[in-house]
Amino acid sequence: MVYYRKYRPQTLDEIIGQEHIKNALKKAHESNRLSHAYLFAGPKGSGKTSTARILAKMINCEVGGPCNKCSTCLSITDGSNLDLIEIDAASNRGIDDIRELREKIKLAPTSSKKKVYIIDEVHMLTTEAFNALLKTLEEPPSHVLFILATTDPHKIPQTILSRVQRFDFQAAKEEEIIEYLKNVIKIEKLKISDEALNLIAKKSEGSFRDGLKILDQLASSGNEITLEDVENIYKSGKSEDSIKLLNFIADADTKSALEFVTELSERGISLKEFINQTLHTLRLLLLIKHDTKKDESLSGLSQKLSSPQIVKIVNSLGIALEKMKFVSIPTLPLEIAVVESCQEQEVPRGERVSQVPQGEENNIGNKPRDTRDTSKPRDISNELISPAIPAPISDAQEIIIIKDKWAYILETIKPYNFSLEALLKQSKIVSFESETLILEVPYSFHKRILEAPKSRELLESVLAEVLGKSAKVSTVLGTRPVRVEELANVEVAADDEIIKIASEIFNS
Ligand SMILES: [Zn+2]
């Protein structure tokens, strides 16, 4: 069993630190005064979900505390308890998910006293979903306990905050991580030097979970762990790996590049460390290109990439590093950066000639475009970004791309602004001229809403993602799909739906 499962704390006492939270929960439990809704806020790996599960046991244990022996406790530990519902808001963030939850909440627990809902990363919910959740929190059935967990409490609406009891988890201190890991080391009969253990604690950045993962990984190759072994984990994503990835990018080999990111992640390499390492390599490449440094191992790569191309990869990786703090799929930001960089390599030859210093065209100019197999369900390059566009790109081609990607554009907008998506469905793509997409809408009401800065910014940013360059949106009033005699009443006719949508857009 992986350490992360095996050593998950099963009682409040097994949780290290967070004393104020443990005491408060114990007292509330003893005096039968537990709240019906909690918010656990704090950094990743600080014990929020573990505490939530323990709280579920405290409430539903057959002998009145987490005994970890009764069938309820055991079923919570092994994840088979039907009255403990864990929802990852990062992937179930829409109103439909919350509506479904509201329906199911009415049903009584199957075998326990209470149904416990743990909603992880709750800040990821959409506004509509928050509103639906709020209604549930306002009138919670007595057989339900909510535990909301988040790494980003400031993104949670005040209306929700006012209805929950909030606990703030602190990032684990290095000595706490050491204490925690020492216990595991003892049980697993591992031999590890103090320096090695200190380095693990330092690199865990306040996360028990990260520390445990690293230890698990190290232990898989032997019971004796040295400082060098630990250093290797952070270094193994070293220059050779960076050079390898940059070569794939230089060859516009998206497939191999993405597979390599997966491989790095499976090797347990910290992608953050890896990106930093790659940025370091890119810096060396720039210095080499400008004759301020010499490095044999990088000469091949420095031939393949021009300075502007290096700068663009640096920018993409910088963005990936930022995004990493927020996403729930840790590999995603790097994957996006890789896809973007590869496509940058494929894009317009006309454009590239000006970028490529003399004598370098031969290396990169005539690359066969990779033929993507569209039947593959998980080709991330197709999901995230439009396919490479042959040069020169005319407005006519842009319009084809936009039409081709329209469904994707709408899908992307939907989770951010449900109503805008609904409105866009009713608009018609007219043309694309001088970097502006012209949409035809049936009512002036539509026009006003689509031209509101909030809607426009969202649509334009999704368009920019699809087209790979910035684009503006403009709307024109078209023919109204109504009979003449209704014209006078047109806006009133459509009132309910449109006014509702408009108010949602302007108030959300
Ligand atoms: Zn029990």
Side-chain angles (χ1 to χ4, degrees):
M1 203 196 311
V2 292
Y3 284 3
Y4 174 48
R5 293 244 171 72
K6 194 170 172 185
Y7 292 103
R8 194 185 254 287
Q10 304 297 349
T11 63
L12 284 180
D13 291 328
E14 280 175 33
I15 288 183
I16 294 173
Q18 323 295 359
E19 297 302 329
H20 64 294
I21 298 172
K22 292 193 289 192
N23 290 337
L25 287 176
K26 273 185 200 167
K27 264 191 195 151
H29 180 229
E30 280 159 17
S31 57
N32 216 356
R33 284 184 182 179
L34 283 168
S35 164
H36 70 275
Y38 288 95
L39 175 70
F40 290 176
K44 70 178 172 91
S46 58
K48 302 185 296 295
T49 324
S50 295
T51 308
R53 290 198 189 151
I54 293 168
L55 185 55
K57 285 182 186 173
M58 285 160 69
I59 288 169
N60 284 333
C61 171
E62 289 153 33
V63 296
C67 72
N68 287 308
K69 287 185 187 111
C70 72
S71 62
T72 304
C73 282
L74 291 176
S75 66
I76 290 175
T77 305
D78 71 21
S80 66
N81 189 292
L82 294 173
D83 296 315
L84 174 62
I85 299 104
E86 293 193 46
I87 298 164
D88 177 13
S91 44
N92 304 278
R93 53 200 298 264
I95 185 152
D96 291 341
D97 296 299
I98 297 294
R99 272 190 195 134
E100 197 191 326
L101 183 150
R102 281 176 68 190
E103 283 309 304
K104 285 187 183 160
I105 270 176
K106 293 173 191 155
L107 308 170
T110 323
S111 59
S112 320
K113 279 168 246 167
K114 287 201 183 208
K115 266 186 162 169
V116 180
Y117 284 88
I118 300 176
I119 307 184
D120 206 5
E121 299 298 345
V122 68
H123 62 273
M124 302 284 282
L125 290 181
T126 59
T127 309
E128 290 90 344
F130 266 128
N131 288 338
L133 177 62
L134 184 63
K135 292 205 181 94
T136 311
L137 290 176
E138 276 166 349
E139 303 153 19
S142 58
H143 61 260
V144 169
L145 170 78
F146 274 104
I147 306 165
L148 314 179
T150 182
T151 47
D152 261 318
H154 63 275
K155 288 190 186 149
I156 296 179
Q158 191 56 42
T159 44
I160 300 271
L161 291 178
S162 66
R163 293 206 152 67
V164 297
Q165 190 177 350
R166 172 171 170 172
F167 286 122
D168 284 290
F169 285 67
Q170 308 300 319
K173 298 187 185 77
E174 280 177 29
E175 53 270 29
E176 288 172 342
I177 295 178
I178 291 172
E179 182 190 339
Y180 177 63
L181 294 181
K182 270 188 175 164
N183 183 39
V184 177
I185 288 162
K186 203 170 127 195
I187 300 171
E188 296 289 329
K189 299 192 171 67
L190 303 175
K191 258 191 89 184
I192 182 167
S193 68
D194 284 349
E195 295 91 345
L197 187 56
N198 287 341
L199 183 58
I200 295 176
K202 185 162 175 270
K203 290 285 185 180
S204 305
E205 293 180 336
S207 166
F208 289 113
R209 186 164 58 216
D210 285 5
L212 199 54
K213 266 193 197 160
I214 299 164
L215 189 67
D216 196 356
Q217 190 188 334
L218 287 161
S220 65
S221 46
N223 277 9
E224 221 172 304
I225 298 163
T226 63
L227 179 61
E228 203 190 340
D229 294 332
V230 183
E231 282 172 345
N232 276 338
I233 284 213
Y234 298 102
K235 281 182 186 163
S236 59
K238 252 259 165 215
S239 36
E240 313 86 79
D241 288 322
S242 294
I243 293 170
K244 197 169 169 186
L245 181 74
L246 290 172
N247 267 306
F248 287 139
I249 291 175
D251 295 342
D253 187 350
T254 315
K255 187 170 176 285
S256 305
L258 284 176
E259 281 168 357
F260 188 57
V261 172
T262 308
E263 185 199 316
L264 289 170
S265 156
E266 280 169 1
R267 264 158 57 190
I269 284 167
S270 148
L271 293 182
K272 198 177 121 196
E273 301 278 341
F274 176 75
I275 292 179
N276 280 323
Q277 171 57 44
T278 308
L279 288 171
H280 181 72
T281 306
L282 286 163
R283 176 180 171 266
L284 285 178
L285 281 172
L286 276 180
L287 295 178
I288 291 165
K289 288 203 82 75
H290 294 91
D291 293 327
T292 39
K293 209 168 168 80
K294 285 217 180 323
D295 187 332
E296 279 306 309
S297 68
L298 290 176
S299 64
L301 197 53
S302 74
Q303 299 264 308
K304 282 190 193 177
L305 291 167
S306 69
S307 296
Q309 285 165 340
I310 294 172
V311 171
K312 279 185 178 154
I313 301 171
V314 168
N315 288 336
S316 289
L317 290 179
I319 293 168
L321 216 46
E322 259 313 297
K323 280 187 185 160
M324 255 177 180
K325 296 175 198 157
F326 307 109
V327 295
S328 55
I329 307 168
T331 51
L332 189 59
L334 180 56
E335 285 163 344
I336 292 174
V338 160
V339 172
E340 280 175 354
S341 300
C342 283
Q343 291 190 341
E344 192 64 48
Q345 290 300 107
E346 285 181 345
V347 177
R349 261 167 236 159
E351 208 175 284
R352 175 169 313 148
V353 173
S354 60
Q355 290 178 4
V356 178
Q358 295 245 316
E360 288 193 14
E361 286 97 326
N362 290 342
N363 291 319
I364 47 173
N366 311 320
K367 277 279 163 289
R369 290 247 300 284
D370 75 13
T371 40
R372 294 195 179 87
D373 181 1
T374 44
S375 64
K376 271 189 204 163
R378 289 251 330 131
D379 186 345
I380 196 161
S381 59
N382 277 339
E383 281 165 30
L384 293 169
I385 291 163
S386 67
I389 307 150
I393 312 157
S394 68
D395 286 347
Q397 279 170 309
E398 301 279 27
I399 199 87
I400 292 168
I401 295 167
I402 293 170
K403 281 184 174 165
D404 182 44
K405 292 274 159 185
W406 193 239
Y408 165 80
I409 293 171
L410 295 186
E411 271 311 299
T412 311
I413 286 174
K414 200 171 167 184
Y416 295 97
N417 195 328
F418 192 72
S419 318
L420 178 60
E421 187 246 5
L423 273 189
L424 286 171
K425 268 188 183 158
Q426 299 175 42
S427 351
K428 209 170 99 190
I429 300 168
V430 181
S431 63
F432 189 86
E433 310 161 2
S434 35
E435 323 239 298
T436 307
L437 170 67
I438 317 278
L439 290 174
E440 186 186 293
V441 294
Y443 305 115
S444 58
F445 218 110
H446 281 110
K447 195 165 147 63
R448 284 207 296 278
I449 294 168
L450 279 173
E451 285 174 359
K454 205 164 181 169
S455 322
R456 262 211 353 228
E457 273 165 30
L458 178 59
L459 180 55
E460 287 177 356
S461 70
V462 177
L463 265 185
E465 191 196 326
V466 166
L467 296 173
K469 63 177 192 183
S470 67
K472 288 196 161 50
V473 177
S474 174
T475 42
V476 292
L477 215 51
T479 42
R480 300 165 176 183
V482 287
R483 282 174 297 154
V484 181
E485 57 265 38
E486 286 173 1
L487 270 180
N489 246 343
V490 112
E491 293 191 354
V492 187
D495 62 352
D496 271 6
E497 191 57 12
I498 292 183
I499 288 171
K500 195 175 130 261
I501 287 170
S503 70
E504 275 176 30
I505 289 179
F506 292 118
N507 299 331
S508 63

